[in-house]
Amino acid sequence: MSLLKQLFLAICLFLVVAFTGSFIAGVESSREQSLSQLRSHAQDAATALGLSMTPHADDPAMIELMVSSIFDSGYFNSIRVVRIPGDDVIIERHSGDSAAESVPLWFSDLVDLQPQGGDALIMRGWEQAARVEVISNPQFALAKLWDSAIGSLLWLLLCGLVSAVLGGWLLRTQLRPLDNMVKQAQAITRREFLTLPTVPRTPELKRVVNAMNQMVEKLKTLFAEEAARSEKLREQAYQDSITGLANRRLFDIRLAHQLAIHEQNAEGYLILLRVNDLAGLNQRLGGQQTDALIAAIGELLKRLLDQKNRTDWLASRSRGGEFTLLVPGIGSEEADLLASELHNGLENLRQTGASDCTPVAHMGIAAFRPGEEPSQVIGRADQALAQTQNDPSQNWVRLDDYNTQTTQGLHEWRTWIDDALSQRKLQLYFQPVMHCADRNQVLHHKVLARLLDPQGKAIAAGRFLPWIERLGWTARFDVAMLEHSLAHLSQHAAPLALSLSAATLHDRATLERIQEILKQHPQQADLLTFEVDERHLPPAAELEALSQAIRSTGYSLGLQHFGGRFSLIGNLTHLGLAYLKLDGTYIRAIDEESDKRMFIEAVFRATNSIDLPLIAEMVETEGELTALKELGLYGAMGRLLGAPMPWKN
């Protein structure tokens, strides 16, 4: 029972005891007063009769007349006149036992208001002639006492009700800070650091609220310091100091990650850009202007990456005047358009005097696909770059050593993807996420997809997802995945994780539809967690609203592919995330590269300070898993622990 209820019940009990005692005391006091009045009334009537009858002591007719005139008033139970001596009754009038109609019998029995009597002597000179005996009728007093008791009871009940309401309101007002502190503590368990803006006036509660606020501020400060330290480590390890782009180390990691055989890895192109005559520029223009040219090329690449649906791209500066642009999920025509856009941007730099060379830089373009070695792709890009350097008539050279494009065009892809989504030709695959300390303990399964082509062959996500994005059907695909996942959960009650795409996160109508679907399946809320990609996060306010909307339905939210924008971790405390999944690029060869280990340690300290589980993606070797165990990570997923497979019944 809550403290508020206990105090309220105590107040009510006190009021009941106090008012009951007051009521009983009031009734008893009125009863004693009524008895006293009855005795006084009877005695006064007897005395008055005795004095009136003294001159007529020997006149029975007059005595009877006097007795009748007083008795008929109705205030007496009996009046009797007896001779002295002998006790012969001269006259007697008796009314019988008549109860008051308005008074309940139980009240009469409870009060027990007995008749009271009085007597007086009738004198004949100096002799006693007779005695008058008068007994008062208590029914009038009883009726008055009943009315008084009812009035007193109603008044006390009204006072009690008002006191209870006011007391309850006062208690709720005074104890409201306790409710706020409970919400504050619950928010801390959800990894949300909230301070209470209103400090209560009650000294005891004021001290507690101030202490809680100080604790929350301290936690926020510690978390912010840890996040800043981790972000600085990431910048030092993976960011170029001149351009702000990724450095060669991060490029090598991302290229190896992109070439790994994985569900969502798609084919694409690598663009290698090298500044023309860098050494000569240093001599002719000076190091400061050459650095300005390199920074300008970096800004050009950043603008390309900032455009819509390019969050998966990576621009880096390898060394000197050499830049790379890793572009997954595009075809040959799009690669040529991108190279043309880059060439135009470089020409603009030349026209502004940033360089005196024509062209400003040479470009080589090489295709890649998952399963290749990084050295093959880089070698192909170098070969293309060498060709364009040897042939000034070409602005760039593109090399495709294999058929990166299928014979299907946009129309064919549109037809069979539409058919697959409409006719539910979608298969769910599941990849286990295991506990780091116990490889036999499954935390949940990541839901992946296969689409069946017209020949009935299952197509991996890496091939069809780029086409779904080009067709603008990503939100439609997410809804289909959700419906299939909920149907699966209705038959197999095991925790799942399902990704939401960037298009869905920015589509209000789709989000509302998803929320309605979730409200229709409350029994599966504990079994499904939605995952959003760090690279596709909406603005902080929209993300917080999304988190609240999903959690209001009972479902959970997690963050995947985390690590590239570590500065965002400060905003995660308000989201109540279920977990955080580290991008596989920071996990690969973590047992061999100490800088990665330092970065993951910093991330773990930051997330551990807010009790946020940390899960590693794409764990491929025993050495990587061992390193993750030593670091204390909560979970891991990857082909080492289990490849994506259909559900086993």
Side-chain angles (χ1 to χ4, degrees):
M1 185 181 295
S2 66
L3 178 62
L4 176 63
K5 291 182 179 179
Q6 293 183 39
L7 292 176
F8 183 75
L9 289 177
I11 290 177
C12 291
L13 180 61
F14 172 77
L15 291 175
V16 168
V17 172
F19 288 164
T20 301
S22 176
F23 177 75
I24 293 175
V27 171
E28 182 63 24
S29 175
S30 298
R31 176 179 178 276
E32 292 297 329
Q33 185 178 5
S34 297
L35 288 175
S36 176
Q37 289 178 348
L38 287 174
R39 284 193 298 269
S40 175
H41 180 257
Q43 184 61 49
D44 290 346
T47 301
L49 277 175
L51 292 175
S52 300
M53 292 179 183
T54 295
H56 309 284
D58 296 323
D59 188 352
M62 184 59 69
I63 291 176
E64 181 178 0
L65 179 61
M66 290 182 179
V67 168
S68 296
S69 63
I70 292 180
F71 183 81
D72 289 343
S73 65
Y75 293 108
F76 303 99
N77 195 27
S78 66
I79 299 178
R80 188 174 68 159
V81 180
V82 296
R83 292 187 184 279
I84 298 177
D87 290 336
D88 294 333
V89 175
I90 299 175
I91 184 173
E92 180 178 8
R93 296 290 302 273
H94 194 277
S95 64
D97 296 331
S98 59
E101 296 180 357
S102 61
V103 180
L105 182 61
W106 62 267
F107 184 77
S108 301
D109 296 338
L110 182 64
V111 172
D112 192 21
L113 195 63
Q114 297 295 327
Q116 301 296 311
D119 55 28
L121 295 175
I122 300 174
M123 304 298 294
R124 184 187 300 115
W126 295 100
E127 296 180 357
Q128 297 179 355
R131 183 175 69 251
V132 179
E133 297 176 352
V134 178
I135 298 177
S136 295
N137 189 341
Q139 299 307 318
F140 295 100
L142 187 61
K144 188 67 175 178
L145 185 59
W146 167 252
D147 293 338
S148 175
I150 290 298
S152 177
L153 179 62
L154 292 177
W155 173 250
L156 291 178
L157 287 176
L158 177 62
C159 292
L161 180 61
V162 173
S163 300
V165 171
L166 291 178
W169 173 80
L170 182 62
L171 277 178
R172 186 173 295 277
T173 301
Q174 293 298 318
L175 297 181
R176 186 173 293 123
L178 291 180
D179 295 334
N180 295 334
M181 283 186 285
V182 170
K183 295 178 181 178
Q184 186 181 35
Q186 291 173 343
I188 293 175
T189 63
R190 297 193 304 268
R191 299 167 287 279
E192 300 176 15
F193 299 131
L194 306 178
T195 56
L196 299 180
T198 304
V199 178
R201 297 180 180 179
T202 306
E204 294 80 5
L205 293 177
K206 182 178 181 180
R207 290 197 298 269
V208 176
V209 169
N210 287 333
M212 287 287 291
N213 284 341
Q214 291 174 4
M215 180 187 71
V216 168
E217 290 297 331
K218 183 65 175 178
L219 288 175
K220 290 172 66 175
T221 301
L222 291 174
F223 181 73
E225 292 174 352
E226 196 64 47
R229 189 181 301 113
S230 301
E231 178 64 16
K232 187 175 181 180
L233 284 174
R234 190 194 67 82
E235 292 177 356
Q236 292 174 351
Y238 303 115
Q239 186 170 303
D240 178 63
S241 58
I242 296 178
T243 62
L245 299 175
N247 59 15
R248 179 58 184 264
R249 181 184 298 275
L250 183 56
F251 166 73
D252 290 338
I253 294 173
R254 283 288 298 274
L255 179 60
H257 175 77
Q258 190 65 46
L259 295 178
I261 299 177
H262 187 262
E263 284 294 313
Q264 298 182 346
N265 283 351
E267 303 166 349
Y269 281 85
L270 171 65
I271 299 178
L272 183 59
L273 185 150
R274 185 174 296 159
V275 175
N276 190 7
D277 192 19
L278 182 64
L281 287 174
N282 270 314
Q283 293 179 356
R284 296 190 301 273
L285 304 179
Q288 186 174 359
Q289 189 168 345
T290 303
D291 287 344
L293 172 62
I294 291 174
I297 295 175
E299 289 299 321
L300 173 61
L301 293 174
K302 286 180 182 178
R303 288 196 296 272
L304 289 176
L305 265 61
D306 288 339
Q307 297 181 28
K308 186 178 180 181
N309 296 328
R310 294 183 175 181
T311 53
D312 294 339
W313 295 11
L314 177 71
S316 65
R317 175 177 176 241
S318 299
R319 60 181 179 272
E322 187 173 293
F323 296 82
T324 57
L325 184 60
L326 186 63
V327 189
I330 68 170
S332 58
E333 294 181 2
E334 292 167 300
D336 288 339
L337 290 174
L338 180 60
S340 177
E341 187 177 357
L342 267 173
H343 174 74
N344 293 334
L346 293 171
E347 279 299 300
N348 290 335
L349 290 178
R350 185 184 64 81
Q351 294 174 7
T352 59
S355 173
D356 57 5
C357 297
T358 304
V360 176
H362 299 95
M363 287 185 289
I365 307 174
F368 67 82
R369 62 180 173 184
E372 286 192 288
E373 291 296 327
S375 58
Q376 293 177 324
V377 179
I378 295 174
R380 190 179 305 128
D382 281 331
Q383 182 182 354
L385 185 62
Q387 291 183 20
T388 191
Q389 287 175 329
N390 295 329
D391 186 359
S393 65
Q394 299 188 84
N395 295 324
W396 67 85
V397 171
R398 173 171 53 84
L399 292 181
D400 297 328
D401 281 3
Y402 64 92
N403 184 17
T404 58
Q405 301 299 314
T406 66
T407 57
Q408 294 171 313
L410 180 61
H411 176 72
E412 289 78 10
W413 280 101
R414 178 193 298 271
T415 301
W416 81 259
I417 289 177
D418 182 52
D419 181 66
L421 293 179
S422 301
Q423 300 184 22
R424 304 178 67 87
K425 294 180 179 180
L426 185 150
Q427 288 185 345
L428 297 185
Y429 275 57
F430 303 89
Q431 186 171 20
V433 179
M434 315 299 290
H435 198 288
C436 258
D438 184 4
R439 295 174 59 172
N440 295 321
Q441 182 180 349
V442 179
L443 300 178
H444 62 263
H445 285 85
K446 179 63 179 291
V447 182
L448 304 170
R450 298 282 195 279
L451 286 185
L452 299 180
D453 65 8
Q455 290 74 37
K457 181 181 178 181
I459 305 299
R463 287 191 57 196
F464 66 76
L465 280 180
W467 289 100
I468 287 181
E469 291 178 359
R470 293 177 203 175
L471 293 168
W473 290 347
T474 309
R476 177 184 174 190
F477 174 73
D478 284 352
V479 172
M481 285 290 292
L482 174 59
E483 292 174 346
H484 277 72
S485 299
L486 293 174
H488 171 84
L489 286 174
S490 64
Q491 299 178 357
H492 309 283
L496 300 179
L498 179 65
S499 297
L500 292 178
S501 66
T504 297
L505 297 181
H506 295 89
D507 189 339
R508 182 180 298 273
T510 302
L511 287 176
E512 291 177 354
R513 182 180 176 188
I514 288 177
Q515 192 171 359
E516 289 300 321
I517 294 174
L518 297 182
K519 290 179 180 179
Q520 296 171 9
H521 298 81
Q523 68 279 6
Q524 296 166 351
D526 295 335
L527 299 175
L528 184 60
T529 300
F530 291 95
E531 294 182 352
V532 294
D533 195 326
E534 179 216 63
R535 296 166 294 186
H536 303 152
L537 290 180
E542 295 181 16
L543 182 59
E544 187 169 353
L546 171 66
S547 174
Q548 292 176 353
I550 290 179
R551 286 189 293 159
S552 67
T553 62
Y555 290 78
S556 303
L557 186 69
L559 190 60
Q560 65 177 346
H561 305 326
F562 182 77
R565 299 163 63 191
F566 191 79
S567 58
L568 294 174
I569 199 169
N571 298 325
L572 302 181
T573 57
H574 302 289
L575 302 180
L577 297 177
Y579 52 75
L580 204 63
K581 285 186 176 179
L582 275 171
D583 191 78
T585 56
Y586 302 99
I587 303 301
R588 183 174 298 276
I590 189 176
D591 53 324
E592 300 173 359
E593 301 181 21
S594 59
D595 56 336
K596 285 185 179 180
R597 188 181 182 104
M598 291 177 59
F599 174 64
I600 300 303
E601 283 180 347
V603 175
F604 176 73
R605 286 195 300 269
T607 55
N608 190 55
S609 66
I610 56 173
D611 193 28
L612 181 60
L614 196 60
I615 297 174
E617 298 177 337
M618 293 190 68
V619 179
E620 306 294 334
T621 67
E622 290 288 349
E624 293 171 354
L625 182 60
T626 301
L628 297 175
K629 288 181 181 179
E630 294 173 354
L631 290 173
L633 266 68
Y634 178 63
M637 63 180 294
R639 291 186 176 272
L640 175 67
L641 302 170
M645 297 181 65
W647 189 265
K648 293 182 179 180
N649 294 324

